[in-house]
Each structure stands twice: as structure tokens, then as C-alpha cells.
Amino acid sequence: YRYRGISQTRLKPALQGGVDYAAGAFYVGAWASTIKWIKDAGGGADVELDLYGGYKGEFSKGFGYDVGVLAYIYPGHDLQVSPQTTEIYGALSYGPATLKYSHSVTNLFGFDDSKNSGYIDLAATFEITDGWMITPHIGRQTVKNFGAASYTDASLTVFKDFSGLVVSLAAVDARTGVYVGPNNKDLGKRSLVAGVKYNF
């Protein structure tokens, strides 16, 4: 599980699932994943739960927008500085490309005094051939009052939907020298990440 380029699971696999509901332009959803970084930091949580909701539509054909709020919850984390984070976000999309900015209205993932941190990312999705898609992405995480923890991540993902079964392979890179796990393992190291997802 790599989030904004940084592994949440010591570079090991994760089990994930989610559910979404839409009513017209409004939507809400929940998503969960196993994690390891809270325990590595001395806490007790081994699950991340994301709750979100928003509104999306189009200014004109092919030119869309999406605004919403997202809460990252770590039940039973037991850390002195709470890792639980709430962000508001806004995105613009045109054709295959999307530009999104997320702004924290709380401290960011356990960084003390980091309210008003931000993440901006640009991504696009193109068809290569026969349903195979490719998504290049670049993002920049800024951590308020912790310049050394700010970083840039990039990825290139190839995927295909086989009647609901989506297989993917991503090359991810977010080397910072700051985000490290046990044995000084670089959690943003350049690596390949394979995924299998089924959409019901």
C-alpha cells in the first residue's frame, strides 16, 4: 500500500476494500486498508479507515470539477500526536487529465503543528491498446512547518479491467530519506507495485 508514494505497510502487501454511493452529483464512500506504520511508530492501529463525501459535475462537456472532504481514521492508534487527518479537496479535469489539490484542516498524519499542509497532484489516463490503460502521475506533498518532510512523488501505472477484475502494475518513486521504517528501510524507495481489484 503506497500512499502519495510512501509505503504504509513496510513495502509489504495490504488487504483493502471500499464502498461508494452516489445520488446525482453528490457522493459518499468508505475505504479501508491494513497498515503497519502506526505500530512502527509505537501505536496500536493496524487499519486505516477513510470516510469521504463530495460533489462533482461539469462546467461544460469534458471539463469537470470535484470538491469534497476526506477523513483518515486510525482506530485505537494510541499515539501522543494523533495521526487522524481531515482534508478538503478540489479537482479540475479536462479530457484525460486531472489536477487536484488537498488541504489539511487538521494536523497531517501525526506531524505536530502541521495544520494547513497541502498535496497537489497531476495525473492523466490514456488507452494504450485493447483496453490497456496507462496513468502517469506526479505529486508534491508540503508539510507545514516541517520542510524536511516535504517531498515529490511520481508513478506510472498500467492497468486493465477484465469485466470487473482490474489488474495493475505501477512503478512508484518517492525517495526522501525521511520516511523510513524498521531497519532504516526507505518507505519511498523506487519499486514496482502490483494490484488486483474486483469491482462489484
Side-chain angles (χ1 to χ4, degrees), residues 152-163:
T152 299
D153 72 287
S155 65
L156 185 65
T157 304
V158 177
F159 66 95
K160 184 174 182 178
D161 187 338
F162 294 92
S163 300

Side-chain angles (χ1 to χ4, degrees), residues 16-32:
Q16 304 172 337
V19 60
D20 293 283
Y21 174 77
F26 292 95
Y27 63 89
V28 293
W31 182 88

Side-chain angles (χ1 to χ4, degrees), residues 96-148:
T98 298
L99 179 66
K100 181 178 180 180
Y101 176 70
S102 301
H103 185 86
S104 68
V105 295
T106 63
N107 283 335
L108 184 76
F109 303 122
F111 287 100
D112 198 12
D113 195 25
S114 60
K115 181 180 177 180
N116 295 320
S117 296
Y119 182 75
I120 187 167
D121 67 285
L122 177 64
T125 301
F126 306 97
E127 182 171 8
I128 306 171
T129 182
D130 193 29
W132 284 97
M133 313 297 289
I134 188 168
T135 299
H137 153 89
I138 188 167
R140 176 69 181 176
Q141 176 71 69
T142 301
V143 183
K144 184 77 170 181
N145 296 319
F146 290 88

Side-chain angles (χ1 to χ4, degrees), residues 17-21 27-33 48-53 70-71:
V19 60
D20 293 283
Y21 174 77
Y27 63 89
V28 293
W31 182 88
S33 176
E48 171 188 326
L49 173 63
D50 299 349
L51 302 176
Y52 51 89
L70 170 57

